[in-house]
Amino acid sequence: MAIPLFLVDAFTDRPFAGNPAGVCLLDSHRDPQWMQAVAAEMNQAETAFLHARPDGEWDLRWFTPTIEVDLCGHATLASAHALWESGRAKVESPIRFHTRSGVLSCTRNGERIEMDFPAEPATPVAAPAEEAFALGVAPIFVGRNRMDMLVVIESAAELRQLVPDFAEVAKIKARGVILTAQSDVAEADFVSRFFAPQSGIAEDPVTGSAHCCLGPYWRDVLHKDELVGYQASKRGGTVTMKCVGNRVILGGSAV
């Protein structure tokens, strides 16, 4: 029996930009090894696996080509988009996903999708030499949360031009490394990039879950609760954030 499988570009309003994610709609629970094999075959940063629950909500898991992850923004956005566009969910109603990071809800707001995610603030790291060496930068702040390292630098131009030593980045014990700087363009408050060779992704095009860390950091620096971030990868993408207590509302489009 055929299993529906979609490819969705997230955090963009045009094809071939943003971050592509696979979305696999299952009619029954599947073995994690099978899901990992499908994710490797899709070879996207993440492939999402959805299964309808009896209560009308959805179970959601995310896999990179090599590992299962605890939280993924762009594949969640892609999942909601696929359910609404295929008629499997009502556009006027929120979608609730049950995940390894708790219940995550997605709501349509015009052409944009808003996702209610947990805030993932970074705690300062005392000795950031390893991260600085791997990235070849002079950080002004290094921290970490339960998933990632956060490295803040002064220059957005340096961030855009950086070519990391991926072999060294892969040695850092984290899901990945978030690099960020204050924006050099009026359309965004900050810019970022995300490197995760240790999770099977050299550079992720647009990382929604990283903005659960970036939002709280830049809220405290810029003293504003509503922010716009631009992830300066080759494909590029824009993520809006609204920091509300211990949650971050992430916004973006998908095609």
Side-chain angles (χ1 to χ4, degrees):
M1 184 174 179
I3 298 173
L5 184 62
F6 297 86
L7 186 64
V8 179
D9 288 337
F11 293 116
T12 182
D13 57 4
R14 57 188 176 88
F16 314 118
N19 199 355
V23 178
C24 186
L25 300 178
L26 303 174
D27 57 4
S28 62
H29 287 289
R30 289 288 183 137
D31 181 83
Q33 291 182 330
W34 180 87
M35 290 189 282
Q36 186 65 77
V38 172
E41 184 82 0
M42 289 296 290
N43 200 33
Q44 302 300 319
E46 261 91 11
T47 298
F49 294 86
L50 300 171
H51 179 248
R53 295 162 56 96
D55 58 8
E57 299 180 355
W58 297 82
D59 287 328
L60 171 60
R61 296 172 75 167
W62 311 278
F63 289 78
T64 78
T66 59
I67 63 169
E68 184 174 9
V69 296
D70 291 334
L71 187 63
C72 178
H74 86 280
T76 303
L77 190 151
S79 296
H81 180 76
L83 291 176
W84 281 319
E85 290 296 309
S86 67
R88 290 174 171 84
K90 296 179 180 179
V91 173
E92 62 272 17
S93 301
I95 299 174
R96 285 167 55 88
F97 295 113
H98 293 255
T99 78
R100 289 171 66 163
S101 289
V103 177
L104 309 176
S105 65
C106 293
T107 306
R108 281 289 287 267
N109 184 358
E111 294 301 313
R112 299 179 66 77
I113 297 171
E114 294 184 342
M115 305 184 292
D116 185 348
F117 270 39
E120 301 284 354
T123 301
V125 172
E130 183 182 13
E131 292 74 29
F133 175 76
L135 295 171
V137 297
I140 58 175
F141 175 86
V142 176
R144 75 171 301 144
N145 60 19
R146 67 187 177 100
M147 299 179 293
D148 304 318
M149 301 298 303
L150 174 66
V151 178
V152 185
I153 61 176
E154 288 278 5
S155 168
E158 181 184 10
L159 177 142
R160 294 174 188 275
Q161 297 165 5
L162 182 71
V163 180
D165 184 334
F166 287 112
E168 293 298 326
V169 175
K171 296 176 184 177
I172 297 171
K173 291 180 174 60
R175 180 188 67 161
V177 178
I178 309 164
L179 182 67
T180 188
Q182 193 162 344
S183 179
D184 54 355
V185 295
E187 296 79 19
D189 295 295
F190 63 85
V191 295
S192 67
R193 293 172 70 184
F194 186 81
F195 310 112
Q198 56 272 69
S199 298
I201 309 159
E203 179 170 3
D204 196 34
V206 193
T207 315
S209 59
H211 289 76
C212 296
C213 178
L214 289 161
Y217 176 82
W218 287 110
R219 173 197 58 196
D220 294 343
V221 171
L222 301 176
H223 307 293
K224 54 194 298 190
D225 293 328
E226 295 190 25
L227 300 148
V228 177
Y230 180 73
Q231 193 151 331
S233 65
K234 183 177 180 180
R235 291 171 66 100
T238 299
V239 183
T240 64
M241 288 141 283
K242 184 185 297 183
C243 299
V244 184
N246 64 352
R247 309 292 292 182
V248 179
I249 310 302
L250 303 176
S253 301
V255 291

